[in-house]
Amino acid sequence: MAKRCPTKLAYFDDMQALQYPAIFLAFEQVDGRLAMILDSTIFHPQGGGQPADKGAIYSSGFRFVVEDVRSNDGVVFHFGYVDNSQDDYEPNLKERPEVTLQVDAERRALNSRIHSAGHLLDICVPNVGLSHLKPGKGYHFPDGPFVEYIGVIPPDQLQIKQKELEEEANSLISIGGKVFASVLSYDEAVKWCNGDLPSYILKGSTPRIVRIGDYAGCPCGGTHVADISDIKNFKVTQVRSKKGVTKVSYSINP
């Protein structure tokens, strides 16, 4: 099989777009699942701690329900099934390959709020006197999101800091702040991250950086709210320090 060109990630340019035109390239069977390959997409594939978008891809006489989205070597695979379409849909798609993408708005909004809440937490941590904690792994799924930090909080401070983090997050949400995302040159990315670009970002690369207001940004390929006020609410459900790592679990109300 010939190597495919990378799929253009159109949501990099507009994280709020829920409908988008694309060109059908091919169907592929991957591990028993049917996938559509397109030239570009606004569907976010699972990765970076964020779940995949769902939705539909359609054209005249054709509808494909998207149940899962994954990326492999830069190619995005839209997994799902053909629904209520004409029997000769594949030849028609090859002749007229223009399709329309429709992302499930409710799912996208929730995933973006949860992901942005995780980034907001990174801002709150130093704001409440925990600047020694360094961000590690993040999990931004609805079933128990959390961010892990390298470093610990003394046991007698855990409940205090849990309350302070929650209060700080909700204070910032009430004030609001624009969320910016851009693919940048390495040098510009360093500036967006206030000189603290992670070592896994290679010099000469062009990382995508997400930044909230005037706070330091960080590399991220996910989708986010337009303004942190859109997160609406934030609750820190648990703060736990163990074996040199502090795990901050949080939730937001739908």
Side-chain angles (χ1 to χ4, degrees), residues 76-153:
V76 175
F77 293 80
H78 305 79
F79 291 103
Y81 60 92
V82 178
D83 178 49
N84 192 28
S85 300
Q86 299 171 352
D87 293 337
D88 57 349
Y89 62 83
E90 189 163 2
N92 288 341
L93 277 173
K94 290 179 178 178
E95 183 178 343
R96 295 182 295 276
E98 299 84 4
V99 294
T100 299
L101 283 56
Q102 184 71 54
V103 170
D104 182 315
E106 185 175 347
R107 179 181 175 90
R108 163 66 72 82
L110 179 60
N111 290 343
S112 296
R113 288 175 61 215
I114 293 173
H115 199 156
S116 294
H119 282 237
L120 179 63
L121 186 59
D122 289 345
I123 293 172
C124 296
V125 163
N127 285 1
V128 300
L130 297 173
S131 57
H132 65 286
L133 298 184
K134 302 304 176 185
K137 180 174 68 175
Y139 179 80
H140 309 298
F141 283 61
D143 61 334
F146 65 83
V147 179
E148 289 184 347
Y149 297 89
I150 308 303
V152 297
I153 300 173

Side-chain angles (χ1 to χ4, degrees), residues 191-211:
K191 294 178 183 177
W192 271 46
C193 296
N194 288 0
D196 192 21
L197 196 61
S199 59
Y200 63 81
I201 303 297
L202 301 178
K203 288 188 176 181
S205 63
T206 55
R208 181 176 184 256
I209 306 298
V210 171
R211 187 181 72 191

Side-chain angles (χ1 to χ4, degrees), residues 209-254:
I209 306 298
V210 171
R211 187 181 72 191
I212 295 175
D214 294 326
Y215 290 96
C218 66
C220 180
T223 63
H224 291 271
V225 295
D227 190 287
I228 58 171
S229 61
D230 297 329
I231 299 172
K232 298 179 182 178
N233 57 79
F234 188 98
K235 182 174 181 60
V236 178
T237 56
Q238 185 183 52
V239 179
R240 183 177 62 184
S241 284
K242 186 178 180 181
K243 296 181 178 180
V245 174
T246 295
K247 179 179 179 181
V248 182
S249 300
Y250 66 93
S251 66
I252 62 171
N253 291 328

Side-chain angles (χ1 to χ4, degrees), residues 3-175:
K3 183 176 177 62
R4 295 191 180 279
C5 294
T7 309
K8 174 180 170 57
L9 304 178
Y11 63 84
F12 270 20
D13 301 322
D14 185 357
M15 294 185 290
Q16 313 310 317
L18 298 173
Q19 191 175 78
Y20 184 79
I23 300 297
F24 165 78
L25 298 180
F27 284 108
E28 284 192 17
Q29 286 284 341
V30 182
D31 297 329
R33 296 197 296 170
L34 180 64
M36 280 189 77
I37 312 296
L38 311 170
D39 71 324
S40 59
T41 188
I42 54 169
F43 281 89
H44 179 273
Q46 181 170 313
Q50 180 177 333
D53 281 327
K54 294 185 179 183
I57 300 169
Y58 60 90
S59 63
S60 178
F62 171 79
R63 185 173 185 268
F64 185 86
V65 177
V66 179
E67 298 180 301
D68 189 19
V69 187
R70 301 296 172 113
S71 179
N72 186 17
D73 290 334
V75 178
V76 175
F77 293 80
H78 305 79
F79 291 103
Y81 60 92
V82 178
D83 178 49
N84 192 28
S85 300
Q86 299 171 352
D87 293 337
D88 57 349
Y89 62 83
E90 189 163 2
N92 288 341
L93 277 173
K94 290 179 178 178
E95 183 178 343
R96 295 182 295 276
E98 299 84 4
V99 294
T100 299
L101 283 56
Q102 184 71 54
V103 170
D104 182 315
E106 185 175 347
R107 179 181 175 90
R108 163 66 72 82
L110 179 60
N111 290 343
S112 296
R113 288 175 61 215
I114 293 173
H115 199 156
S116 294
H119 282 237
L120 179 63
L121 186 59
D122 289 345
I123 293 172
C124 296
V125 163
N127 285 1
V128 300
L130 297 173
S131 57
H132 65 286
L133 298 184
K134 302 304 176 185
K137 180 174 68 175
Y139 179 80
H140 309 298
F141 283 61
D143 61 334
F146 65 83
V147 179
E148 289 184 347
Y149 297 89
I150 308 303
V152 297
I153 300 173
D156 62 344
Q157 291 289 307
L158 289 174
Q159 286 190 335
I160 296 171
K161 292 305 178 182
Q162 178 175 338
K163 181 180 179 182
E164 290 180 354
L165 284 169
E166 184 173 311
E167 290 176 346
E168 178 69 7
N170 284 299
S171 174
L172 292 176
I173 289 170
S174 68
I175 296 169

